[in-house]
Amino acid sequence: EVQLVESGGGLVQAGGSLRLSCAASGFPFDDFNIGWFRQVPGKEREGVSCIRSSDSKTWYDDSVKGRFAISRDKAKNTVYLQMNSLTPEDTAVYYCAADPFGDYYYCSNYNDYWGQGTQVTVSS
C-alpha cells in the first residue's frame, strides 16, 4: 500500500520554527521526486518546495526562500521541510506529494501520490 504520511505540524508563534516530515512507503522512493505544497481554504494549492531525486536539486517559492529548507533522507524514505521565521501567512495545510515525473522546478506535475496533510498555524 502506497503511503505518504506527513507529521510535524502544529501551532507556533510568529518567528518560530517547525520541521515537517513526510514518510513514504509502498513505492520506490528513490525514483520519485518529492514536493511540499500548501493550501488555505478558498485558495488554490500552491507549491512550496520540491526536491529532485536524482541530484537533490531544489526549488523554493519566493515566499519561503531563505526561510524554508527541504531535504530528503533516502535511508529513511523521508523528506523534511524545515520552516524557520514563520509568519501568519504561512498558515495552511501542508501536503507532500511524490511523482517520478514531477518537476522540481516550480513543483509542477505532481499527480501520483499525495499525503493527507498536516495543519500549520502561525499566530501573530
Side-chain angles (χ1 to χ4, degrees):
E1 179 189 5
V2 171
Q3 280 195 315
L4 286 173
V5 180
E6 301 99 333
S7 62
L11 174 64
V12 65
Q13 286 190 327
S17 299
L18 286 173
R19 187 176 82 154
L20 305 184
S21 299
C22 172
S25 61
F27 64 94
F29 181 75
D30 290 0
D31 295 337
F32 280 64
N33 301 321
I34 307 293
W36 282 100
F37 299 76
R38 66 187 180 187
Q39 188 170 26
V40 297
K43 290 190 175 183
E44 285 191 5
R45 187 169 52 201
E46 62 177 3
V48 175
S49 179
C50 289
I51 185 166
R52 189 161 66 184
S53 179
S54 60
D55 56 4
S56 293
K57 206 167 180 66
T58 60
W59 173 87
Y60 297 92
D61 184 76
D62 284 346
S63 65
V64 306
K65 207 172 287 184
R67 300 187 298 122
F68 290 12
I70 191 171
S71 62
R72 68 190 293 163
D73 185 335
K74 291 191 174 182
K76 295 183 178 180
N77 280 12
T78 300
V79 172
Y80 302 99
L81 185 68
Q82 177 67 43
M83 306 188 297
N84 300 325
S85 302
L86 285 161
T87 73
E89 288 68 38
D90 295 316
T91 295
V93 178
Y94 283 71
Y95 300 89
C96 66
D99 195 306
F101 304 111
D103 195 345
Y104 82 98
Y105 198 64
Y106 282 108
C107 291
S108 55
N109 297 321
Y110 280 77
N111 300 310
D112 272 16
Y113 305 131
W114 287 83
Q116 82 290 348
T118 185
Q119 176 70 46
V120 171
T121 304
V122 184
S123 63
S124 57

